[in-house]
Amino acid sequence: MEYRFSDTIDSFKSSAVREILKLTQGKSIISLAGGLPNEQYFPIEAVKDAFNRVFEEGKQVLQYGLTEGYTPLRQSVAKHMERKNIHVGVDDMLITTGSQQAIDLLTRVYIDPGDVILVERPTYLAAIQIFQSHKARIISVECDADGMNLSDLELKIEQYNPKMIYVVPTFSNPAGKAWSVERRLGTLNICKRKNVLILEDDPYGELRFGGGEALPSIFSLDKHPEGCGVVYTSTFSKIVAPALRTGWAIGDPQVIRQMARAKQAADLHSSTMDQQALHQLFQHFDLNAHIDLVRTEYEKRMRQMVDLLHRQDWAGARWIEPKGGMFIWVELPEHIDTEQLLKLAVEEGVAFVPGISFYADEPQRNAMRLNFTHTDYAQMVEGFTRLDRAIQKMLQTV
Amino acid sequence: MEYRFSDTIDSFKSSAVREILKLTQGKSIISLAGGLPNEQYFPIEAVKDAFNRVFEEGKQVLQYGLTEGYTPLRQSVAKHMERKNIHVGVDDMLITTGSQQAIDLLTRVYIDPGDVILVERPTYLAAIQIFQSHKARIISVECDADGMNLSDLELKIEQYNPKMIYVVPTFSNPAGKAWSVERRLGTLNICKRKNVLILEDDPYGELRFGGGEALPSIFSLDKHPEGCGVVYTSTFSKIVAPALRTGWAIGDPQVIRQMARAKQAADLHSSTMDQQALHQLFQHFDLNAHIDLVRTEYEKRMRQMVDLLHRQDWAGARWIEPKGGMFIWVELPEHIDTEQLLKLAVEEGVAFVPGISFYADEPQRNAMRLNFTHTDYAQMVEGFTRLDRAIQKMLQTV
């Protein structure tokens, strides 16, 4: 049998992260590469209790569910989002298998081959992978510490007539930055004026450090729901646990309905067990208090990593202290190619994600993404010792 | 905002089944339409026990999982399939969000717009929907009670150069038939010779009536795994419960690897909670005994429905007594359009799926699919009384 695959498979190149994860499956490697939340803070007793409450409701809990998602969970999520000043009903929402599926479904119903999607520079690597799999043309917009450069955004819209723009404005992956309110508003205004749909990916928004006021999502800045210029997606992976693999998308009911039809074809519905358990969790567990605990712990770890960064002698390395999320984006001297560095680092027993993975075009080669949520402090210190050995080698050879 | 959807959405027409399910949400309607397993036989205590065993293993059970699926579950499934004379390893298998996702992923990596897929006449309606969403050209092959007509298959392969053929050879949805071994072998030989990949969808294979020997899957008739001409998919939805939304695909590791890459983009992985629970279920529950119970009960219900059919005076209605599965396919006199009939039936308080839903082209308009697994006997009797009233009205007016 000679298999005749579709053209699509050309886009399914195994990602750098995937290859790294394979390498780091050896026990002796300390991984600062992954995007894993810390198991220590998984509310396992509450999750177990939630599942048992579901089973108490009787055998019908094991039946097929709605494509749009378990209605009481949609109600619970809608209520939860009110504290973010987001006001939606169940018809404005679709439950997905992680927020990754929300990105995939929206791309499926919105993007034809060759259509342009604008992204941040750098941006989330899995989003690039999804957009490529749908044969979109991906164009990067220049960014600084405050978010997207609005002049470059206008310019790129004029130049490429994009259908959609993909952004992670709150504690972005990989750069860990938080857009200013002004940039959020500016992006929304420009995109609405030019009829460019904004896909706002917000997996980390609740992991805010410093205790200040929450930044408004771009979605919350628009009038909702009809005619909304934003589709917003988030997930329980970072605030409860990834194994339940449940995310959601909200937007104009017209867009949500199309995404639901695509989902009906793609997998009919997501796990109803997980959805029912998450609804029970909302009823019997203080999720907001739990989120406060997680972000306090993650902030502590972030500060530990920033301290370690300050102590290194990496010839002018730069980073922005993240205001939330799970990652620090470190820029090394320009002549250091972090893809090369990774090979040395893995030999030394430490892994990270090289910057190149986060660019749709013209990658910055001297950056790396470090995760601070998954390793404990002792591991982090040892990881930095190893990473320093690799960097010193690079600094000497070039 | 004026939304600029992709061409794909033209294929996401709301299906007849979906519309019917909406209609039948009113309490007074007896539905013979759905494809729901009977809640009564969901092994809820065993599933609950399985989840609790997962939680005993500690917090890491809530972490992200592998795209390919939870390895111990893949091992359990491989072992389970040995009794079907299927011998595969974990690298030949991908865990999916229901078998529906397996169909979608294979289509994604194998079919370019305009590529031809051959299907049975009639065939599973959700498969048609998936193929259309990927802009495949769907061509039907003539079938009889023993399976696909091999001459017509050869003819259509010559004529259309299809890349793939989609079949449900064992207790098919909707027709409830079981292909003969000869047709299975014939189809395999023709397709391998002509380099046409077979997608064998087997959700009902274990729901066999009559206690005779199991029919060999087409997959088991081929040499495995390298160069295999078949991708086989099945699901836990019918033998355990749909809410866990877990299916699997097996095939040549090269094909499985491409599907895994597509899945990595589509949703990263399926619910790890459900996968771990299903693995525990395999360890601590007699799944085979449970399957025997379910098929005994379903066979009883099938016989009750066949008895009811014999008692009707429907002017030469015909059906093939199913040898397994969940459905009976009933052909009414030629001048009866079952789509029209459905409207009358719903007025009378009963629903079914009209034949038209199961054809990619040139539909047979006088057939209907009746589900016998979900209603109890009293409901089934009442459902037939209502259905008879609708049919008599139709018979009188035409």
Side-chain angles (χ1 to χ4, degrees), chain A residues 183-194:
Chain A
R183 297 289 178 90
R184 290 166 195 253
L185 268 169
T187 300
L188 178 63
N189 289 336
I190 293 167
C191 289
K192 286 205 88 165
R193 184 155 34 88
K194 301 285 188 180

Side-chain angles (χ1 to χ4, degrees), chain A residues 3 100 104 228 264 271 274, chain B residues 3 100 108 228 264 271 274:
Chain A
Y3 301 112
Q100 175 125 352
D104 185 62
C228 180
Q264 203 195 8
S271 165
D274 294 338
Chain B
Y3 300 111
Q100 175 126 351
R108 208 155 155 163
C228 180
Q264 204 196 7
S271 165
D274 294 336

Side-chain angles (χ1 to χ4, degrees), chain B residues 363-376:
Chain B
Q364 184 179 358
R365 298 192 168 272
N366 61 325
M368 61 182 173
R369 190 192 77 175
L370 301 178
N371 167 271
F372 52 79
T373 61
H374 195 249
T375 43
D376 63 27

Side-chain angles (χ1 to χ4, degrees), chain A residues 68-291:
Chain A
E68 292 79 1
Y70 181 58
T71 307
L73 177 64
R74 282 183 286 157
Q75 287 160 343
S76 295
V77 173
K79 194 157 175 291
H80 179 70
M81 288 201 300
E82 283 174 10
R83 75 171 196 159
K84 296 184 146 198
N85 201 25
I86 289 177
H87 304 279
V88 290
V90 293
D91 293 335
D92 314 320
M93 190 186 305
L94 176 70
I95 301 292
T96 54
T97 307
S99 53
Q100 175 125 352
Q101 191 186 38
I103 303 172
D104 185 62
L105 293 174
L106 181 61
T107 310
R108 210 156 155 161
V109 302
Y110 215 74
I111 298 297
D112 287 307
D115 282 347
V116 172
I117 302 174
L118 299 184
V119 300
E120 290 166 270
R121 226 185 113 68
T123 190
Y124 175 46
L125 65 87
I128 297 177
Q129 211 183 349
I130 295 167
F131 299 150
Q132 283 173 340
S133 80
H134 292 283
K135 300 188 176 68
R137 188 172 169 206
I138 310 168
I139 303 287
S140 300
V141 179
E142 294 304 326
C143 295
D144 59 27
D146 288 329
M148 214 166 238
N149 179 317
L150 297 181
S151 315
D152 195 48
L153 174 61
E154 289 227 58
L155 195 77
K156 298 273 165 70
I157 291 175
E158 284 304 320
Q159 197 172 350
Y160 296 105
N161 184 27
K163 262 192 180 173
M164 190 162 97
I165 173 172
Y166 170 79
V167 294
V168 192
T170 312
F171 322 133
S172 64
N173 177 356
K177 72 178 74 149
W179 289 28
S180 68
V181 176
E182 185 206 338
R183 297 289 178 90
R184 290 166 195 253
L185 268 169
T187 300
L188 178 63
N189 289 336
I190 293 167
C191 289
K192 286 205 88 165
R193 184 155 34 88
K194 301 285 188 180
N195 212 42
V196 180
L197 184 65
I198 299 171
L199 171 52
E200 180 179 25
D201 190 7
D202 189 30
Y204 312 107
E206 309 225 43
L207 303 177
R208 191 175 74 253
F209 304 153
E213 209 168 320
L215 285 157
S217 65
I218 301 180
F219 185 92
S220 70
L221 297 172
D222 198 5
K223 277 177 254 145
H224 191 260
E226 278 73 31
C228 180
V230 187
V231 172
Y232 169 101
T233 178
S234 190
T235 175
F236 289 103
S237 294
K238 276 75 181 184
I239 55 173
V240 179
L244 285 86
R245 206 77 203 106
T246 305
W248 66 92
I250 54 173
D252 182 292
Q254 200 188 141
V255 181
I256 293 298
R257 203 154 48 234
Q258 293 298 350
M259 290 173 70
R261 284 174 182 178
K263 183 168 171 64
Q264 203 195 8
D267 65 6
L268 198 57
H269 63 74
S270 297
S271 165
T272 319
M273 283 312 306
D274 294 338
Q275 293 184 60
Q276 292 174 108
L278 283 164
H279 171 65
Q280 289 297 337
L281 201 75
F282 270 116
Q283 307 308 305
H284 300 281
F285 176 65
D286 188 344
L287 183 59
N288 291 336
H290 176 69
I291 291 169

Side-chain angles (χ1 to χ4, degrees), chain A residues 332-348:
Chain A
L332 295 172
E334 277 201 9
H335 56 280
I336 291 195
D337 182 333
T338 52
E339 215 180 357
Q340 297 299 317
L341 177 65
L342 180 62
K343 288 173 197 161
L344 292 178
V346 168
E347 280 170 27
E348 296 289 347

Side-chain angles (χ1 to χ4, degrees), chain B residues 303-318:
Chain B
R303 296 213 178 280
Q304 288 170 339
M305 188 173 273
V306 167
D307 276 355
L308 285 170
L309 279 167
H310 278 296
R311 278 188 246 156
Q312 306 308 314
D313 183 20
W314 290 351
R318 295 183 310 168

Side-chain angles (χ1 to χ4, degrees), chain A residues 1-9 12-15 18-19 25 35-44 47-48 51-52 54-56 58-64 66-68 97 100-102 104 107-112 115 126 129-130 133-135 161-164 191-192 194-198 225-229 237-238 241-245 252 254-255 258 260-274 276 374, chain B residues 1-9 12-15 18-19 25 35-44 47-48 51-52 54-56 58-64 66-68 97 100-102 104 107-112 126 129-130 133-135 161-164 191-192 194-198 225-229 237-238 241-245 252 254-255 258 260-274 276 374:
Chain A
M1 188 87 195
E2 196 184 306
Y3 301 112
R4 295 185 276 169
F5 292 106
S6 69
D7 290 344
T8 304
I9 72 154
F12 295 132
K13 297 285 184 312
S14 204
S15 76
R18 200 178 165 86
E19 293 306 314
Q25 274 166 7
L36 303 184
N38 198 304
E39 291 93 354
Q40 209 177 318
Y41 312 113
F42 289 158
I44 189 164
V47 172
K48 180 181 172 179
F51 273 93
N52 280 314
V54 173
F55 291 119
E56 276 164 29
K59 290 180 171 180
Q60 79 283 358
V61 302
L62 292 175
Q63 191 53 280
Y64 280 105
L66 291 176
T67 299
E68 292 79 1
T97 307
Q100 175 125 352
Q101 191 186 38
D104 185 62
T107 310
R108 210 156 155 161
V109 302
Y110 215 74
I111 298 297
D112 287 307
D115 282 347
Q129 211 183 349
I130 295 167
S133 80
H134 292 283
K135 300 188 176 68
N161 184 27
K163 262 192 180 173
M164 190 162 97
C191 289
K192 286 205 88 165
K194 301 285 188 180
N195 212 42
V196 180
L197 184 65
I198 299 171
E226 278 73 31
C228 180
S237 294
K238 276 75 181 184
L244 285 86
R245 206 77 203 106
D252 182 292
Q254 200 188 141
V255 181
Q258 293 298 350
R261 284 174 182 178
K263 183 168 171 64
Q264 203 195 8
D267 65 6
L268 198 57
H269 63 74
S270 297
S271 165
T272 319
M273 283 312 306
D274 294 338
Q276 292 174 108
H374 194 248
Chain B
M1 188 86 196
E2 196 184 306
Y3 300 111
R4 295 186 275 169
F5 292 107
S6 69
D7 290 345
T8 303
I9 72 154
F12 296 132
K13 297 285 185 313
S14 205
S15 76
R18 199 177 165 87
E19 293 306 314
Q25 275 166 7
L36 302 183
N38 198 305
E39 291 92 355
Q40 207 177 321
Y41 310 113
F42 289 157
I44 190 164
V47 172
K48 178 181 173 179
F51 273 94
N52 280 313
V54 173
F55 291 119
E56 278 164 29
K59 290 179 170 178
Q60 79 283 357
V61 301
L62 292 175
Q63 191 53 280
Y64 280 105
L66 291 175
T67 299
E68 292 79 0
T97 307
Q100 175 126 351
Q101 191 187 38
D104 183 61
T107 309
R108 208 155 155 163
V109 302
Y110 215 75
I111 299 297
D112 287 307
Q129 210 183 351
I130 295 168
S133 80
H134 292 283
K135 301 187 174 68
N161 184 28
K163 262 191 180 174
M164 190 163 98
C191 288
K192 286 205 89 166
K194 301 285 188 180
N195 212 42
V196 179
L197 184 65
I198 299 171
E226 278 72 31
C228 180
S237 294
K238 276 75 181 184
L244 286 86
R245 205 78 204 103
D252 182 292
Q254 199 188 141
V255 180
Q258 293 298 350
R261 285 174 181 179
K263 183 169 171 63
Q264 204 196 7
D267 65 7
L268 198 56
H269 64 74
S270 298
S271 165
T272 320
M273 283 313 307
D274 294 336
Q276 292 174 108
H374 195 249

